[in-house]
Amino acid sequence: MGGVAGMRGRQTVRGMIQSLGVILVAAGVMYLFIPHDESADPVKAKDYRVELLTAQRAAPYPVLAPEGLGEGWKATVVSYKRENANAWQLGFLSPDTQYVAIHQSTAAPGTFVPDVTQRAKNTGKTQTVAGQVWQRWEGAKYDALVRVDGGATTVVTGTASFERLAEMAASLQSKKV
């Protein structure tokens, strides 16, 4: 009986190896024939003009968006939610592939800021950007520049350095609609 069991074990192993070989060949063929472009840019820039216009008309505060940012900034996220304390969000991928977002809301700053900054904390320090004083917040995931003005809290946050956050904050403009 020991000989029959040993033979079945060898056949099972050989069958598994053959099956694995067939799977690898099939995967290789699929890779060759499915189109793929390694040079393609994986992040598509989003046109946010319509959402910005909507938010500027609906929000009870001056909605901010960047103007004159240099090359390489790509808008990736945009939303305005009136029912969520007039929350405006506009996210970008910076030229050095870091995330930078503008958040504005009429929500209480004490809950709004930690929420959009992934629980960053106020450092007690300030930074002047384009003549305006911003609070500096630091966190494990996101850092932020925060300012309360015009009936809303504005947060410039993300994985980028404070220099990039300040670059975004300096570019923010509001257009009256």
Side-chain angles (χ1 to χ4, degrees), residues 18-154:
Q18 288 173 339
S19 296
L20 181 60
V22 169
I23 291 170
L24 290 174
V25 168
V29 169
M30 287 180 5
Y31 178 79
L32 289 174
F33 290 103
I34 293 176
H36 50 279
D37 184 4
E38 283 85 14
S39 65
D41 191 0
V43 176
K44 301 288 184 210
K46 196 169 200 135
D47 185 355
Y48 58 89
R49 291 177 292 186
V50 172
E51 289 89 346
L52 175 61
L53 188 60
T54 300
Q56 288 172 331
R57 287 183 175 156
Y61 56 83
V63 173
L64 300 173
E67 285 192 20
L69 282 177
E71 293 274 326
W73 287 87
K74 293 180 184 176
T76 58
V77 178
V78 61
S79 73
Y80 175 73
K81 295 182 181 164
R82 175 181 256 167
E83 70 281 359
N84 189 16
N86 298 292
W88 166 246
Q89 177 186 6
L90 184 56
F92 286 84
L93 194 62
S94 71
D96 54 350
T97 66
Q98 295 297 311
Y99 182 66
V100 177
I102 302 110
H103 292 271
Q104 287 183 283
S105 177
T106 56
T111 55
F112 175 66
V113 178
D115 183 44
V116 298
T117 63
Q118 305 289 320
R119 298 183 205 4
K121 304 277 187 223
N122 189 344
T123 64
K125 299 176 186 173
T126 61
Q127 180 172 343
T128 301
V129 177
Q132 296 177 331
V133 178
W134 295 75
Q135 300 170 348
R136 285 178 67 132
W137 289 55
E138 292 180 3
K141 186 171 181 179
Y142 289 172
D143 291 329
L145 295 173
V146 177
R147 188 167 60 86
V148 179
D149 185 41
T153 301
T154 302

